[in-house]
Amino acid sequence: MLVGQALARHAPSAGHGRCIRIVDGSSVPKAGGNAKKKSQLWRIHSAFDLPDERFGHFLLTDQQEGEKLDLIPVIKGEIRLADRAYMQPDRIAAVLAQGGDVVIRAGWKSVCWRDADGAPFDLIEAFRAAQGGLIDRPIQVERKAARRSP
């Protein structure tokens, strides 16, 4: 363990000095027979900060508050990681506007993909045409009210 800690101090930071945060939510039933009959829940929203290996934020809500990418305050310059439940274009735009970056796992049919000019973008065709399996180009996600996310 001591050797690992000594080596880790000299290893380059994965985030190059930027905070990397994993955001997620969990649900637990409220206590009491009446609450269980009505399927009432507590939701725990959290942000786990890497490489500090610690939780940097918790928020407790009831079942009315769903998972939202911008529910937890943004640390300017952070890289926020989330699963597909967080593929919410307006919420992504809110995190970007506050100075954060976002990496979200998403299904290819989960949102309306656009190219840099706002025209429809065929993600599957782009993967087929990609050299070495990589795509290096701006891709947008369509937002509500025909607004575009950067």
Side-chain angles (χ1 to χ4, degrees), residues 62-73:
D62 64 15
Q63 70 266 13
Q64 301 302 316
E65 189 73 66
E67 293 178 300
K68 297 176 184 168
L69 190 65
D70 60 341
L71 192 58
I72 291 173

Side-chain angles (χ1 to χ4, degrees), residues 117-148:
D117 297 322
F121 179 76
D122 187 338
L123 188 62
I124 299 302
E125 183 55 39
F127 281 126
R128 285 188 185 119
Q131 298 294 322
L134 300 175
I135 300 173
D136 186 11
R137 61 183 288 181
I139 299 174
Q140 300 181 33
V141 176
E142 186 170 285
R143 295 173 59 190
K144 292 180 181 175
R147 294 172 292 165
R148 308 274 187 250

Side-chain angles (χ1 to χ4, degrees), residues 8 14 38 52 67 101-102 118 144:
K38 295 181 180 180
D52 294 337
E67 293 178 300
D101 285 321
V102 177
K144 292 180 181 175

Side-chain angles (χ1 to χ4, degrees), residues 7-64:
L7 291 173
R9 280 194 298 265
H10 300 292
S13 170
H16 298 283
R18 297 173 67 190
C19 179
I20 301 173
R21 302 176 93 192
I22 301 171
V23 296
D24 204 3
S26 297
S27 299
V28 293
K30 290 184 177 180
N34 194 32
K36 288 182 182 177
K37 286 179 189 174
K38 295 181 180 180
S39 299
Q40 294 178 330
L41 302 171
W42 290 115
R43 292 195 196 270
I44 304 167
H45 309 271
S46 62
F48 187 79
D49 299 346
L50 296 174
D52 294 337
E53 298 180 357
R54 65 178 179 86
F55 283 95
H57 195 87
F58 283 106
L59 179 65
L60 181 67
T61 65
D62 64 15
Q63 70 266 13
Q64 301 302 316

